[in-house]
Amino acid sequence: MTKLFAINAGMSFFAVAKAENEEEVLTILVNRELEEQEDFGIRAHIDDFSIEGLYGDFFRDEKGSFIEGHILDYPRNIRKMSTKERDTYIRSYVEKNASAFWKDHPFYADLYLHEVKKYKAVEKEVGNTFRPHFSEEFYFNTAKLIITETDWYGEDFQIIEIDLTDCNYQLIFELTLEE
């Protein structure tokens, strides 16, 4: 039976979808996001191996990001390390964080890290136009994780079933001012 669902991501995104269940709604949303071809779409985010792309989500340890935003440099504890020690430390955390992100698909973490390694090998070349080689299945599953597990929309993400069987309206959100 087809139902209506509200897709809410705070002030940045609200939509209504007709589907059988929440999983189908998520599939519709992921496919919509993957169809976006702009430079700032989810596919471009996955392909961006800078700290501004998906790679940036892995570029941290338990203390936080490896880049201090206000000075665009490593935090003090990282700057104190030798170059080799720093590279090893950062690489180990990037690998650990990628594995945690794709915990149900460890092959995807390995694939992603392999593409990162290829990118880094050609990164400094003049005219570098490196494009990673990911399957559509990889993009779909990764986009699904980005939508549900990160702050892709900038706020909480939720799918709410709209059920009007007992009433001709359903309150989705109400701002109440507490005194």
Side-chain angles (χ1 to χ4, degrees), residues 34-107:
L34 286 171
E35 289 172 5
E36 294 289 320
Q37 294 300 316
E38 297 109 26
D39 292 339
F40 54 87
I42 205 162
R43 190 179 297 266
H45 181 71
I46 294 167
D47 289 348
D48 185 353
F49 295 134
S50 76
I51 60 168
E52 305 199 344
L54 178 61
Y55 183 78
D57 290 349
F58 309 138
F59 203 72
R60 60 179 164 69
D61 62 12
E62 61 278 341
K63 295 175 188 167
S65 176
F66 291 136
I67 295 291
E68 290 182 334
H70 64 285
I71 60 172
L72 292 176
D73 197 3
Y74 295 114
R76 184 177 172 87
N77 65 315
I78 305 289
R79 283 193 311 260
K80 288 175 154 181
M81 297 177 183
S82 70
T83 302
K84 184 176 181 173
E85 184 182 21
R86 178 176 42 236
D87 290 347
T88 301
Y89 182 81
I90 289 173
R91 186 176 52 254
S92 72
Y93 271 95
V94 167
E95 290 171 1
K96 178 182 169 186
N97 294 331
S99 294
F101 182 74
W102 283 290
K103 63 184 171 285
D104 295 333
H105 301 280
F107 172 75

Side-chain angles (χ1 to χ4, degrees), residues 3-170:
K3 305 172 188 172
L4 290 178
F5 293 87
I7 306 166
N8 182 33
M11 298 294 289
S12 62
F13 185 83
F14 185 85
V16 175
K18 187 171 19 173
E20 298 292 324
N21 52 45
E22 287 186 26
E23 190 62 31
E24 186 179 342
V25 173
L26 191 53
T27 297
I28 291 166
L29 181 61
V30 168
N31 285 328
R32 175 202 172 271
E33 289 292 342
L34 286 171
E35 289 172 5
E36 294 289 320
Q37 294 300 316
E38 297 109 26
D39 292 339
F40 54 87
I42 205 162
R43 190 179 297 266
H45 181 71
I46 294 167
D47 289 348
D48 185 353
F49 295 134
S50 76
I51 60 168
E52 305 199 344
L54 178 61
Y55 183 78
D57 290 349
F58 309 138
F59 203 72
R60 60 179 164 69
D61 62 12
E62 61 278 341
K63 295 175 188 167
S65 176
F66 291 136
I67 295 291
E68 290 182 334
H70 64 285
I71 60 172
L72 292 176
D73 197 3
Y74 295 114
R76 184 177 172 87
N77 65 315
I78 305 289
R79 283 193 311 260
K80 288 175 154 181
M81 297 177 183
S82 70
T83 302
K84 184 176 181 173
E85 184 182 21
R86 178 176 42 236
D87 290 347
T88 301
Y89 182 81
I90 289 173
R91 186 176 52 254
S92 72
Y93 271 95
V94 167
E95 290 171 1
K96 178 182 169 186
N97 294 331
S99 294
F101 182 74
W102 283 290
K103 63 184 171 285
D104 295 333
H105 301 280
F107 172 75
Y108 289 160
D110 293 341
L111 174 64
Y112 183 83
L113 293 169
H114 178 73
E115 291 298 307
V116 167
K117 186 183 264 185
K118 285 175 22 183
Y119 167 77
K120 289 193 178 291
V122 299
E123 177 180 28
K124 306 237 185 308
E125 290 180 16
V126 176
N128 173 18
T129 57
F130 180 82
R131 301 295 294 160
H133 297 287
F134 297 128
S135 68
E136 285 305 310
E137 180 183 343
F138 174 88
Y139 280 113
F140 179 85
N141 286 312
T142 302
K144 190 174 178 181
L145 284 172
I146 290 169
I147 289 170
T148 59
E149 304 295 323
T150 72
D151 64 347
W152 176 249
Y153 293 110
E155 300 188 38
D156 291 336
F157 171 78
Q158 59 188 152
I159 297 173
I160 305 160
E161 183 178 344
I162 300 173
D163 183 3
L164 302 176
T165 46
D166 296 334
C167 184
N168 63 357
Y169 79 97
Q170 179 179 341

